Amino acid sequence: MQISQVFERDGLPVSFEIFPPKGELPVEAAHALAAELSMLDPAFVSVTYSAGGSGNSERTIDVARMAKDDFDLAMMAHLTCMGATKNDVHQVLAAMRAAGIENVLALRGDSVEGVSTADFHFAKDLIPVAREAGFCVGAAAYPEGHIECLDFDESIRHLRQKQDAGAQFFVTQLFFDNACALRFLDAALNAGVTVPITFGIMPFLSKAQISRMVFMCGASLPSPIIKLLARYENDPASLRAAGIEYACEQLEGLAAEGVDGLHIYTMNQPAIAAAAMEALRASGAVV
Ligand SMILES: NC(=O)C1=CN([C@@H]2O[C@H](COP(=O)(O)OP(=O)(O)OC[C@H]3O[C@@H](n4cnc5c(N)ncnc54)[C@H](O)[C@@H]3O)[C@@H](O)[C@H]2O)C=CC1
Ligand SMILES: Nc1nc(=O)c2c([nH]1)NC[C@@H]1CN(c3ccc(C(=O)N[C@@H](CCC(=O)O)C(=O)O)cc3)CN21
């Protein structure tokens, strides 16, 4: 199932993102996760590749293949090209094809100390290689600009370059302020971006987690969230509930704006995906 087709169907596509579980038996752990996510009927599920520059990439293909074969989920594998040679990339793409994976999110990847770009400098260099290898290719979009890019207009030019290089849809970086995302959407449309853009939302669950994410992604931390972090400083369960509720409100707001799709960073917690789906169904955004 090519993900570009998902955006041609009626209804709002809602997708999930997972990362390959760490520790022993990662594919078995992912099996239980995929079983729960499949019951929520997502439009597709994506699997990270070395998220945050962690090097956690060995199991991406195994996890995506398992979820596709065992649960008939439409799967997308992320692929980063930071430090990779053309030969490395061709090998990974061949392994993805052999596993029956049809969709790739083409990324440069997070900067890692000591690793410099090799044959690929930017995601736009990887996109045509993945297209030529026959994949349906998505790319990342940055509502508040990429963390290494200080100029908003420049980040929109980079977005357009990815479309011109062959990206067939975009998945956005997480953000906590819908107004930023809607301003970005206007700018993208004005710059001639015509492919679908699906908006990625991650709930905050703890102060440590949201701090890590905003410094990794450069997303703004709005004052209402800072107040919730302060209010529930000594009440982790309430903070987690508030974070999920905030994310659900973001999702409902975006759906009401008529966006092309919603992507939920599940952090491998089915309860997050379930809460999001329930909120979207209750509000009538999803049937
Ligand atoms: N590992 C994973 O599964 C995931 C990773 N990410 C993260 O997304 C980020 C990588 O972003 P991509 O969108 O793939 O990279 P990209 O290649 O689009 O951009 C990387 C940086 O290069 C700049 N740039 C792009 N084109 C340029 C050009 N022509 N001239 C000068 N500068 C240019 C961008 O503004 C940005 O600062 C990383 O932080 C990555 O790890 C995002 C989602 C999932
Ligand atoms: N710059 C950047 N890099 C990414 O890899 C990335 C983004 N942005 N934005 C969107 C998603 C979010 N991603 C994430 C974010 C957090 C974790 C995370 O919390 N990982 C934990 C693992 C926890 C566990 O194993 O249970 C970690 O400690 O790394 C993973 C993927 C990957 N993506």
Side-chain angles (χ1 to χ4, degrees):
M1 171 73 182
Q2 298 232 327
I3 288 172
S4 50
Q5 292 170 12
V6 159
F7 297 102
E8 287 160 20
R9 299 197 295 232
D10 285 343
L12 176 68
V14 182
S15 53
F16 301 148
E17 181 165 312
I18 61 174
F19 51 82
K22 290 180 191 148
E24 294 198 3
L25 303 177
V27 181
E28 283 75 355
H31 189 273
L33 173 63
E36 294 204 51
L37 295 181
S38 69
M39 308 228 271
L40 299 168
D41 198 23
F44 66 89
V45 176
S46 79
V47 187
T48 64
Y49 188 96
S50 194
S54 60
N56 180 10
S57 63
E58 261 175 41
R59 295 280 166 257
T60 299
I61 295 177
D62 294 342
V63 168
R65 175 182 22 212
M66 173 280 298
K68 182 180 63 63
D69 291 349
D70 295 358
F71 300 100
D72 202 26
L73 284 164
M75 296 303 296
M76 171 164 74
H78 296 198
L79 176 61
T80 64
C81 58
M82 188 92 192
T85 63
K86 279 189 182 146
N87 191 36
D88 297 333
V89 162
H90 282 295
Q91 277 188 17
V92 180
L93 288 172
M96 286 179 177
R97 193 168 34 232
I101 297 160
E102 294 176 71
N103 306 286
V104 168
L105 188 70
L107 300 156
R108 184 202 65 176
D110 287 301
S111 301
V112 179
E113 229 178 278
V115 177
S116 52
T117 55
D119 288 348
F120 300 86
H121 295 288
F122 304 112
K124 73 174 166 62
D125 307 326
L126 177 62
I127 291 163
V129 176
R131 282 296 301 272
E132 280 156 27
F135 290 89
C136 173
V137 177
Y142 297 91
E144 299 180 78
H146 186 264
I147 191 146
E148 294 162 28
C149 185
L150 298 182
D151 185 81
F152 181 77
D153 295 338
E154 193 183 329
S155 77
I156 295 290
R157 282 195 293 278
H158 296 156
L159 184 76
R160 176 61 203 264
Q161 284 175 356
K162 293 190 199 187
Q163 174 178 285
D164 294 344
Q168 291 160 284
F169 61 96
F170 289 110
V171 181
T172 77
Q173 179 59 285
L174 55 91
F175 53 92
F176 299 101
D177 182 351
N178 281 4
C180 292
L182 296 171
R183 275 196 299 274
F184 154 81
L185 180 56
D186 266 350
L189 295 174
N190 281 333
V193 171
T194 53
V195 300
I197 304 176
T198 188
F199 287 80
I201 295 292
M202 178 185 280
F204 58 90
L205 303 176
S206 72
K207 195 170 178 177
Q209 173 242 356
I210 195 171
S211 307
R212 202 171 69 233
M213 292 317 303
V214 298
F215 282 105
M216 188 164 133
C217 305
S220 309
L221 192 50
S223 148
I225 296 188
I226 298 171
K227 290 176 184 169
L228 288 168
L229 293 170
R231 170 178 296 185
Y232 297 124
E233 190 160 14
N234 299 310
D235 183 355
S238 298
L239 180 63
R240 179 188 159 89
I244 294 175
E245 189 184 330
Y246 187 96
C248 289
E249 282 169 15
Q250 275 193 283
L251 291 165
E252 287 167 39
L254 293 163
E257 291 290 337
V259 297
D260 297 322
L262 297 171
H263 185 70
I264 296 157
Y265 294 108
T266 69
M267 288 177 283
N268 288 11
Q269 299 184 29
I272 291 175
M277 279 299 196
E278 201 181 302
L280 288 167
R281 291 211 170 99
S283 71
V286 167
V287 283

